[in-house]
Amino acid sequence: MPAYDLIIRGGTIVDGTGEDRFTGDVAVKDGLIAAVGEISGDAAEEIDASGLLVTPGFVDIHTHYDGQATWDQEMAPSSWHGVTTVVMGNCGVGFAPAKPDKHEWLIGLMEGVEDIPGTALAEGMSWDWETFPEYLDALEKLPRTVDVGTHVPHGSVRAYVLGDRERPGAVPTDEDIRQMSAIVEEGVRAGALGFSTSRTVLHRDVDGEVVPGTTATKEELIEIGRAMGRAGHGVFEMASDMKRDWDEFGWMGALSRETGLPCTYAALQSIAKEMPLDEQISSMRAENDNGANIVAQIALRGNGIVMAWRGTVHPFRLKPSWKEIEDLPWEEQKAKLFAPDFKAKLLAEEHDFSEVNQDIIGLIMVVCGGWNMQFEMDPDFNYEPTAEESILERAKAAGVSGDEYAYDLLCRDDGKGFIYLPILNYADGNLDFLMDLQQSDDTVNSLSDGGAHCGTICDAASPTFMLQHWVRDRSRGTISLENAIKRQCSDTARLYGLEDRGVLATGFLADINIIDMERLKLGKPWLAFDLPAGGKRLLQKAEGYVATIKNGTVTFREGDWTGETPGGLIRGPQRAELAEAAE
């Protein structure tokens, strides 16, 4: 009988610790890494990794697969990009706890905040749960290509306790807060990895109302954080506009010191945030210097809108002529869009801003005509584009208006053209500000939003972008391969107490990627209509992933799913059982 189930031979091993790469073998037995180095035994299967990278599977801590994980085993698109573990339930949105009369409300909240088609969620979810522990039980029934863990989301908890009283500005009673805290404690004890909330005007439900956490008091948030402290583990995750009078860092620091638990937040250059990014980081570090444990989640590229005729957003959505055809079937829309007289009429019209919420009017005006901030997504698109590559400059060179250039761009490829608008994290027109942050122990690579923003964002490919752009191709300065892998593997895993993964060492989970760095390349995004009820989503694949392995089983070969589903549900922190006895 073979000594091992699998041996990966002769690869360049980047083990996730940040230490230097080395050439060697990795042996797998019973879903765990059994040996690393020079291995002489045999195995049921061997993979020749000569000239290839061998890394831990990627751990993505900011996703929104809360609905999709109940019906989808493949867990694309994250699973296409070397991700073997996802943490969902971020930003205060999710589907448990859920009373039957709140199903539609929770779907509307998720659709508005995360741009996941409500029809797909309504069709895809079975709702065979009410409490949060019952939701975990439902997740546990379906095997997948990846492991999933989740937060208890603030929006669901508030709706469960306040019922019809839940609306912007609602003030919970002391008894309400006690009940919310009890629900969170119950959820964390049942296996949730933490609690999440959102406090930004950019997050609104399908009716345009701000999400429940936006108007919550710090007293409510602290009491909920204390509930995790009583349970003994959990991460407090938050998106926030960081208004100075909210003193977010003050109460997060106090909560972290009192409970001993980490708090983490989305750290971005954002038009909605009152505090600039450098002030966010300095405020966080002041609290950490005083004994707190606050961690900034950073994105590795501009958080942008990908615009298309069939996407959720494009620059002409507020034109009267578009309103006339927006509900037509695509083939009829396309016939109109390609007609010269329709084009001329639409371009001559003014945008109708009458129904736009004034909190986001600036953003909408950029969407509708900020040509200096919008970029053409060609097949070799660089996600760190220069001002010279903007639609404004390309329109000037072509001798046409920005409106006409953008219109024609969207009509390319039979109406499948894309425009990229980085609305966050691109204030300087480059990503230089992220260089130092990627060397910091108080930041983690995050904010991919895998499974969300189905018609506007395609950042689930962030781990691939990290390797292709930041490690290999970036002309303005790169980061080391060892640091990049550490940040996407062991750093993200450790924040959530997942000590059994993210490192290639004896006794750790055999979650492994085999990557051809020379071939690694992001493909062009496309719009698929493959969610339940024909729901749309932006997808993006990559070349160069030779194999992805979860718990010792090959789940993807050259980007194609093998049909294997070794992944499951993560319940609470996972401690590494190092196989010292095997030495």
Side-chain angles (χ1 to χ4, degrees):
M1 175 178 255
Y4 303 107
D5 299 324
L6 171 67
I7 296 178
I8 302 164
R9 291 208 181 271
T12 300
I13 297 173
V14 184
D15 67 7
T17 65
E19 296 298 317
D20 291 344
R21 70 197 78 175
F22 59 93
T23 300
D25 310 327
V26 178
V28 174
K29 182 73 171 178
D30 297 331
L32 301 177
I33 295 173
V36 178
E38 187 174 335
I39 298 168
S40 58
D42 59 351
E45 179 183 1
E46 294 198 5
I47 298 175
D48 181 5
S50 301
L52 305 175
L53 287 183
V54 180
T55 77
F58 301 139
V59 179
D60 189 338
I61 60 173
H62 196 107
T63 76
H64 294 278
Y65 289 106
D66 308 74
Q68 186 177 334
T70 67
W71 74 73
D72 178 31
Q73 294 185 285
E74 186 176 5
M75 294 293 284
S78 291
S79 59
W80 296 344
H81 296 276
V83 173
T84 52
T85 298
V86 301
V87 178
M88 55 197 193
N90 288 279
C91 299
V93 290
F95 298 113
K99 292 179 180 176
D101 64 350
K102 283 297 181 181
H103 291 176
E104 185 177 346
W105 187 89
L106 291 171
I107 287 174
L109 187 64
M110 181 69 79
E111 182 175 15
V113 174
E114 302 299 342
D115 187 30
I116 301 173
T119 52
L121 294 168
E123 176 78 15
M125 285 192 294
S126 62
W127 293 105
D128 53 343
W129 64 84
E130 176 171 331
T131 68
F132 194 87
E134 289 170 348
Y135 175 64
L136 293 181
D137 292 342
L139 289 173
E140 203 161 35
K141 294 175 184 176
L142 186 70
R144 303 170 195 83
T145 60
V146 303
D147 280 346
V148 299
T150 188
H151 301 87
V152 182
H154 197 183
S156 301
V157 174
R158 261 204 167 210
Y160 195 84
V161 173
L162 270 64
D164 292 339
R165 289 182 291 134
E166 174 46 55
R167 55 180 55 87
V171 179
T173 65
D174 290 345
E175 176 58 20
D176 291 333
I177 294 174
R178 188 197 66 76
Q179 290 182 36
M180 286 191 279
S181 298
I183 288 170
V184 172
E185 182 176 351
E186 176 188 47
V188 171
R189 290 188 185 278
L193 298 180
F195 167 83
S196 73
T197 192
S198 174
R199 294 161 61 70
T200 171
V201 295
L202 296 181
H203 283 170
R204 295 172 180 269
D205 68 15
V206 73
D207 296 320
E209 299 285 2
V210 293
V211 299
T214 308
T215 56
T217 64
K218 66 180 181 181
E219 288 77 17
E220 175 183 342
L221 298 170
I222 287 172
E223 283 303 316
I224 289 173
R226 286 171 174 159
M228 289 195 298
R230 291 192 296 272
H233 73 269
V235 177
F236 192 112
E237 185 272 338
M238 178 178 69
S240 172
D241 288 339
M242 294 298 177
K243 294 187 180 298
R244 291 188 177 89
D245 61 353
W246 289 355
D247 188 27
E248 304 282 52
F249 291 104
W251 69 257
M252 279 195 293
L255 176 63
S256 176
R257 284 187 290 271
E258 177 183 335
T259 63
L261 301 178
C263 297
T264 185
Y265 70 101
L268 294 161
Q269 289 180 341
S270 171
I271 56 176
K273 293 184 187 294
E274 185 173 310
M275 298 173 68
L277 180 59
D278 57 355
E279 185 179 347
Q280 296 172 42
I281 298 297
S282 63
S283 298
M284 173 188 74
R285 288 175 175 165
E287 292 295 330
N288 288 346
D289 288 343
N290 195 29
N293 181 10
I294 307 174
V295 178
Q297 295 190 22
I298 61 171
L300 295 187
R301 67 187 187 194
N303 290 78
I305 297 172
V306 177
M307 298 190 283
W309 286 129
R310 302 184 78 184
T312 303
V313 177
H314 61 70
F316 307 105
R317 284 195 68 90
L318 298 182
K319 295 271 193 171
S321 289
W322 172 261
K323 293 291 186 182
E324 293 173 6
I325 69 168
E326 66 178 343
D327 294 326
L328 295 177
W330 167 239
E331 290 301 322
E332 294 181 37
Q333 281 185 345
K334 186 169 68 171
K336 290 280 191 180
L337 292 167
F338 279 52
D341 58 339
F342 181 87
K343 172 185 171 183
K345 178 186 174 185
L346 181 144
L347 291 179
E349 295 170 344
E350 297 294 326
H351 300 281
D352 180 6
F353 296 112
S354 61
E355 296 184 6
V356 175
N357 189 290
Q358 291 304 299
D359 286 340
I360 57 173
I361 187 67
L363 168 61
I364 299 303
M365 293 181 73
V366 171
V367 168
C368 292
W371 308 128
N372 62 318
M373 298 175 62
Q374 298 187 29
F375 303 90
E376 175 181 348
M377 294 190 75
D378 52 37
D380 294 316
F381 181 66
N382 173 11
Y383 284 89
E384 195 170 359
T386 65
E388 291 72 26
E389 297 172 283
S390 68
I391 286 177
L392 176 67
E393 294 303 319
R394 290 191 175 181
K396 287 180 181 178
V400 299
S401 68
D403 296 59
E404 184 172 1
Y405 192 93
Y407 189 104
D408 291 343
L409 193 166
L410 293 174
C411 287
R412 290 179 194 168
D413 190 20
D414 197 35
K416 299 174 185 174
F418 290 107
I419 293 173
Y420 176 64
L421 168 58
I423 57 173
L424 308 176
N425 258 25
Y426 216 64
D428 306 324
N430 60 65
L431 300 173
D432 290 352
F433 72 98
L434 291 171
M435 285 291 292
D436 288 343
L437 292 178
Q438 291 185 78
Q439 316 300 323
S440 302
D441 292 338
D442 53 11
T443 69
V444 289
N445 292 0
S446 184
L447 307 180
S448 81
D449 277 335
H453 300 292
C454 296
T456 52
I457 295 177
C458 198
D459 286 352
S462 291
T464 305
F465 175 75
M466 171 189 68
L467 294 176
Q468 178 182 330
H469 186 75
W470 279 103
V471 172
R472 192 187 67 193
D473 294 345
R474 188 171 186 265
S475 61
R476 299 178 65 91
T478 58
I479 64 173
S480 75
L481 174 63
E482 288 82 358
N483 183 48
I485 296 301
K486 174 178 178 288
R487 291 185 63 81
Q488 194 62 62
C489 298
S490 60
D491 286 358
T492 45
R494 295 303 172 274
L495 175 59
Y496 278 82
L498 306 180
E499 298 176 3
D500 60 344
R501 66 199 70 203
V503 173
L504 297 181
T506 301
F508 284 76
L509 290 183
D511 294 357
I512 304 168
N513 282 311
I514 304 174
I515 304 168
D516 186 339
M517 276 292 282
E518 292 184 2
R519 288 196 295 126
L520 192 71
K521 182 180 180 181
L522 286 168
K524 182 181 178 180
W526 79 94
L527 265 172
F529 295 83
D530 60 351
L531 290 175
K536 69 187 173 189
R537 56 176 177 164
L538 271 167
L539 296 173
Q540 187 175 31
K541 297 200 82 168
E543 298 176 9
Y545 285 96
V546 176
T548 296
I549 298 160
K550 172 66 193 158
N551 290 350
T553 299
V554 178
T555 50
F556 291 87
R557 294 185 190 271
E558 294 293 349
D560 294 327
W561 182 26
T562 63
E564 298 287 350
T565 54
L569 172 69
I570 303 168
R571 287 186 183 265
Q574 304 294 305
R575 306 306 178 197
E577 299 293 337
L578 298 178
E580 297 176 357
E583 296 180 353

